Amino acid sequence: MKKIIVIIFLLTISLPLSAQKNPGKDHAKSNVNCKTCHVCDVPTKDDPCLVQCPREKMKTVYESPDKTVDVVSLDELSKKYLPVTFSHRVHAQMSVLSGGCGTCHHYNTSGPIQPCKNCHQTSRKRDDISKPDLEAAYHRQCITCHREWSHGTSCNSCHNLKTTNKEYQKEEVKKKVKGKVHPALIEPAKIVFETKYEKGKMVTFFHDDHTKKFKIDCTSCHKNETCLKCHDVNKTSNEKSKIIRAQKSLDEHHKKCFSCHKEDKCESCHLGKPSEHFDHKKRTGWVLNKFHDELSCAKCHGSKIPYSKLDTKCVNCHKGWNIENFKHTITGLQLDETHAQLNCEDCHEEKNFAVKPVCSNCHENFIYPRQKPGKMVRTK
Amino acid sequence: MPGKSRRDFLKTTAVIGAGVAGLSSSTAKAAPKNILSEDRMGVLVDTTVCVGCRNCEWACKTAHDLPAGELHSYEDRSVFTEKRRPGTKALTVVNEYSSGKNSNLPLDVKVQCMHCDHPACVSACIVGAFSKEENGSVIWDTDKCIGCRYCMAACPFQVPAFEYDKAINPSIMKCDFCFNRTKEGKLPACVAICPVEALTYGTRTELVKIARERIKRNPDKYVDHIFGEYEVGGTAWMYLSSKDFSELDFPKLGTNPAPGVSESIQHGIFAYFVPPVSLYALLGGIMWISKHRKELDEEGKL
Ligand code: SF4
Ligand code: SF4
Ligand code: SF4
């Protein structure tokens, strides 16, 4: 009997303990407000006075921007002002590149998203002045970003004063922003940086290659951008095409590039003048035809960066091709009867398929270039 | 000024005077409890939070019956092209500076009386019109003010302004920490209106704690300095910033209360008609003590 009591006793104390993840010994020094987890001022080992996490309706923070709440109305403080109604979705979409949902929803438990007023008191005259009151909490989240690009703090850019509008139609604004999504981002094709590196001041960064060809995700470079990166009422459109003077620290500028360009020399990027777009033909001698041009680099060169040089044998990639099953039509040229009977090397010298054969290699006069050795089924 | 504070004032001057004269001046920081209430209030101004909306300027004027104009007219940021000072028409002003570390937002700094714990203006006032109140505010009695402007000269922050343009009863003007509002349990007007609560109102002790905590949690954001914690012996209004305070036009000040303390004994006595003879005896005594101490110090050093 005694044993059973002991077991039951042990079970009762161990159950709640195992439910709570141990935050570690020195967690008091971490960058988290004690009140996030503890209710009382002086939590002890015996009485940690933990906050009850709301476990019902589990909702993971965060949903993807497209699935998130569409329109939100902040009307907790509607005594003074008419509520602020805004497109939550558009903001969520923008946050993907600038700190994520946590930029605003900065405190989360494992339960549902916390309403601001759970922690921020509604009255400015209050006991706990260690965190801002609700009004200030709202304003800090909004104004800090909005003033960055608007260069102002005008109240009525978000609010309508109760006194100025007799009948405020919250629904009207809701209708206006409902279903709104952020317009597609305009990507720069290339960005030219002017750096302080004496031996090669100009660095040309081909943005579209990195996103489209290398398929690098936007967030791998743009995680914590400020609003100013895209939005600025003072920015004129031609300012965007200007050469950007590199101002961040050496480390900050190189970090993103170095994650891939590990073995590149300084001079690979730093040149005396803005560089031209990478030309596969000029740089490697291999012209990318219609098919090859559409492939991502990794498709041929593998994912290992820097890309290694390939030799130009077709079978390097087209492993299955051989003299029996190769259909010349795939090259765009369906050989006529005479030519179809020839051996490959009769036209392709030393079986070098990288170089297109020219008619004059075999034929003396120049009738043949006009009269192809077959039927063009596709033109490049 | 009510009788109680007059008595306090006498006590204040006498004790500070004795403290300064008798001991090394650093002890003046540890002020006796009967002068500086433990629960005296203050404001923590976080310049990294302030958005420069200047609503506080409007609220301050409105609360003090000064011509304020429309609130939305304060959205005009062109005023920031020059640095302004508090004056008789505006007891507080906000100035804008270029951004501090790790930010591309400008820094906005609200300026007003600092409500010093050992106010030079109080010590300098020859008629005892100025007083440091229990709730932390430094206020003055217009009826007593004789317009000598000693306070203006003494203030290390150049805060008090004089109504030169007023022919009848010109007086000193400065932020009074909204004494009339706080008396009724209201918040200072600027604190109440600030949309982002860049101004936190609380007991000075708690504010220092909060400020320390903010610096500790965000070492990349703040410079490790609470302006007003120790400057001139401590002030009720304290500042946090992301930039060295000297770049924000804050004067570089020591930790000793601003000069003007020893005259206060003189002034105090004048104000309450104590015969000058005893004053000289007291001053002589003080001088002897401090000289004697100095000699002892020097001998000790040698
Ligand atoms: S800042 Fe100047 S006016 Fe204000 S309390 Fe200090 S000394 Fe007096
Ligand atoms: S405390 Fe009152 S008097 Fe002082 S600046 Fe604020 S509103 Fe003006
Ligand atoms: S009201 Fe607050 S945010 Fe606005 S200028 Fe004054 S202190 Fe700064």
Side-chain angles (χ1 to χ4, degrees):
Chain A
M1 187 63 200
K2 239 186 184 175
K3 258 188 194 164
I4 296 169
I5 292 172
V6 170
I7 289 169
I8 291 174
F9 175 72
L10 282 176
L11 269 178
T12 33
I13 51 170
S14 64
L15 272 178
L17 282 179
S18 59
Q20 202 74 42
K21 217 173 116 202
N22 186 359
K25 212 168 132 202
D26 275 343
H27 72 277
K29 288 184 197 144
S30 63
N31 194 11
V32 179
N33 193 316
C34 308
K35 289 279 163 72
T36 307
C37 304
H38 303 279
V39 186
C40 57
D41 287 328
V42 193
T44 60
K45 250 194 180 150
D46 300 329
D47 180 19
C49 56
L50 293 170
V51 170
Q52 286 289 315
C53 293
R55 300 251 178 237
E56 81 286 9
K57 271 203 304 176
M58 279 280 258
K59 196 181 205 179
T60 41
V61 181
Y62 306 99
E63 291 169 310
S64 86
D66 310 324
K67 287 205 201 103
T68 187
V69 189
D70 186 359
V71 184
V72 167
S73 236
L74 303 174
D75 49 8
E76 300 299 336
L77 299 162
S78 51
K79 256 181 255 139
K80 258 197 228 155
Y81 294 104
L82 294 165
V84 172
T85 303
F86 68 102
S87 167
H88 178 271
R89 179 163 302 148
V90 172
H91 285 82
Q93 287 177 317
M94 291 187 289
S95 80
V96 172
L97 303 185
S98 62
C101 308
T103 315
C104 291
H105 300 282
H106 61 106
Y107 160 59
N108 293 289
T109 63
S110 49
I113 293 162
Q114 300 288 306
C116 309
K117 63 168 186 271
N118 273 16
C119 301
H120 298 280
Q121 286 170 273
T122 42
S123 164
R124 185 146 296 182
K125 232 177 131 82
R126 60 199 192 275
D127 320 324
D128 181 10
I129 53 169
S130 67
K131 20 179 204 297
D133 68 356
L134 188 61
E135 181 193 344
Y138 281 158
H139 280 144
R140 282 190 198 185
Q141 298 294 30
C142 305
I143 303 178
T144 317
C145 289
H146 275 241
R147 72 187 278 236
E148 234 177 44
W149 55 265
S150 72
H151 306 283
T153 52
S154 156
C155 307
N156 57 15
S157 60
C158 301
H159 284 285
N160 282 317
L161 267 174
K162 266 225 155 130
T163 47
T164 53
N165 259 26
K166 264 181 262 142
E167 251 311 283
Y168 178 72
Q169 289 114 3
K170 180 168 149 185
E171 292 310 315
E172 275 292 288
V173 183
K174 256 194 184 168
K175 246 189 256 160
K176 230 166 130 194
V177 293
K178 202 162 164 46
K180 226 177 156 183
V181 288
H182 196 280
L185 296 182
I186 307 163
E187 266 183 62
K190 70 170 181 181
I191 304 166
V192 182
F193 293 98
E194 191 187 329
T195 70
K196 292 193 192 98
Y197 185 64
E198 279 305 324
K199 283 189 228 158
K201 275 201 179 335
M202 299 307 211
V203 173
T204 314
F205 172 70
F206 291 94
H207 192 276
D208 54 353
D209 273 355
H210 286 78
T211 54
K212 295 195 185 106
K213 278 236 168 80
F214 312 149
K215 301 259 182 304
I216 295 175
D217 196 64
C218 306
T219 48
S220 53
C221 292
H222 305 281
K223 261 197 215 91
N224 288 309
E225 298 298 355
T226 59
C227 317
L228 220 47
K229 185 89 188 176
C230 308
H231 302 267
D232 194 343
V233 289
N234 291 351
K235 208 183 232 165
T236 51
S237 55
N238 63 359
E239 227 169 290
K240 282 181 192 147
S241 57
K242 266 196 209 153
I243 290 172
I244 295 175
R245 201 156 282 163
Q247 270 163 338
K248 289 187 216 152
S249 71
L250 194 78
D251 196 40
E252 274 178 287
H253 270 299
H254 288 98
K255 212 166 148 196
K256 289 172 190 167
C257 310
F258 279 175
S259 56
C260 295
H261 297 268
K262 280 190 199 96
E263 278 149 48
D264 283 353
K265 295 197 192 74
C266 306
E267 285 73 26
S268 319
C269 303
H270 286 270
L271 305 169
K273 57 178 187 347
S275 63
E276 290 301 309
H277 199 272
F278 177 78
D279 186 330
H280 206 278
K281 182 185 167 195
K282 263 197 213 155
R283 289 279 286 277
T284 70
W286 170 264
V287 194
L288 293 181
N289 63 22
K290 195 176 179 181
F291 283 142
H292 289 135
D293 201 27
E294 274 164 15
L295 301 175
S296 72
C297 309
K299 194 88 188 164
C300 304
H301 293 275
S303 55
K304 198 173 157 267
I305 288 177
Y307 292 137
S308 50
K309 202 177 164 165
L310 300 176
D311 72 18
T312 50
K313 287 204 187 90
C314 306
V315 288
N316 263 333
C317 301
H318 304 282
K319 295 252 153 52
W321 284 1
N322 59 42
I323 200 137
E324 267 81 50
N325 68 7
F326 182 72
K327 292 196 181 69
H328 206 279
T329 326
I330 217 165
T331 66
L333 179 70
Q334 194 173 33
L335 296 177
D336 61 18
E337 273 169 24
T338 345
H339 287 91
Q341 280 165 17
L342 299 174
N343 286 328
C344 304
E345 57 269 38
D346 290 343
C347 300
H348 301 278
E349 260 177 75
E350 290 172 20
K351 283 199 184 171
N352 179 3
F353 300 103
V355 183
K356 259 193 192 167
V358 213
C359 307
S360 58
N361 287 356
C362 309
H363 303 276
E364 259 169 25
N365 59 35
F366 288 92
I367 300 168
Y368 295 96
R370 264 183 276 127
Q371 202 184 318
K372 298 278 180 198
K375 189 173 129 210
M376 292 304 289
V377 290
R378 172 175 63 77
T379 47
K380 191 181 154 61
Chain B
M1 202 195 293
K4 185 180 163 285
S5 45
R6 188 174 295 180
R7 267 201 315 279
D8 283 352
F9 176 67
L10 257 184
K11 268 192 280 175
T12 314
T13 47
V15 179
I16 296 177
V20 169
L23 309 161
S24 82
S25 47
S26 63
T27 49
K29 229 170 34 193
K33 281 204 173 69
N34 58 343
I35 301 162
L36 286 174
S37 154
E38 279 291 327
D39 301 327
R40 65 190 186 279
M41 305 304 278
V43 169
L44 178 65
V45 185
D46 194 329
T47 60
T48 67
V49 170
C50 173
V51 295
C53 67
R54 295 169 59 221
N55 283 5
C56 49
E57 290 186 21
W58 178 85
C60 178
K61 286 180 195 167
T62 311
H64 291 82
D65 296 325
L66 293 165
E70 290 290 326
L71 178 58
H72 68 80
S73 67
Y74 287 72
E75 282 166 13
D76 173 21
R77 295 180 87 87
S78 66
V79 292
F80 291 140
T81 45
E82 54 186 57
K83 301 284 177 275
R84 299 171 302 146
R85 295 286 313 162
T88 53
K89 305 267 184 296
L91 310 181
T92 182
V93 291
V94 180
N95 286 323
E96 190 161 273
Y97 298 83
S98 62
S99 60
K101 57 178 181 177
N102 300 325
S103 166
N104 39 33
L105 287 170
L107 269 180
D108 295 288
V109 183
K110 179 185 180 294
V111 192
Q112 73 299 306
C113 169
M114 300 288 283
H115 298 275
C116 309
D117 280 349
H118 305 281
C121 55
V122 172
S123 321
C125 182
I126 53 173
V127 290
F130 264 98
S131 61
K132 171 87 177 170
E133 294 298 309
E134 207 180 333
N135 72 355
S137 40
V138 174
I139 56 169
W140 72 104
D141 184 338
T142 327
D143 294 340
K144 272 193 191 167
C145 174
I146 54 167
C148 71
R149 283 162 279 147
Y150 276 19
C151 52
M152 289 172 71
C155 171
F157 300 98
Q158 296 162 15
V159 164
F162 188 68
E163 296 175 312
Y164 288 105
D165 54 347
K166 223 174 174 185
I168 307 153
N169 279 340
S171 175
I172 282 293
M173 285 288 267
K174 74 168 191 72
C175 153
D176 60 359
F177 211 166
C178 285
F179 192 68
N180 290 331
R181 286 174 59 99
T182 51
K183 222 168 38 186
E184 296 167 6
K186 286 194 209 150
L187 289 167
C190 53
V191 172
I193 202 169
C194 180
V196 290
E197 209 176 18
L199 318 167
T200 312
Y201 180 73
T203 63
R204 190 178 184 277
T205 330
E206 195 178 354
L207 292 177
V208 171
K209 257 194 237 155
I210 291 174
R212 285 246 175 76
E213 191 65 18
R214 283 193 206 169
I215 296 174
K216 200 179 104 196
R217 288 201 190 281
N218 299 292
D220 297 337
K221 182 167 158 193
Y222 296 106
V223 291
D224 189 8
H225 183 178
I226 308 167
F227 190 96
E229 186 184 9
Y230 298 119
E231 273 79 6
V232 287
T235 57
W237 281 63
M238 290 169 291
Y239 287 75
L240 282 178
S241 165
S242 56
K243 205 173 184 176
D244 197 281
F245 284 98
S246 61
E247 291 174 59
L248 303 174
D249 293 337
F250 280 77
K252 191 146 182 57
L253 298 165
T255 53
N256 297 336
V261 180
S262 73
E263 313 103 22
S264 68
I265 302 167
Q266 201 181 11
H267 300 149
I269 292 159
F270 268 133
Y272 299 96
F273 301 109
V274 179
V277 182
S278 45
L279 160 74
Y280 291 132
L282 177 62
L283 281 182
I286 290 167
M287 274 165 71
W288 181 84
I289 294 168
S290 43
K291 193 165 168 250
H292 188 61
R293 282 190 68 90
K294 209 176 155 202
E295 276 165 9
L296 283 177
D297 274 0
E298 273 163 12
E299 274 164 29
K301 260 181 221 153
L302 290 169

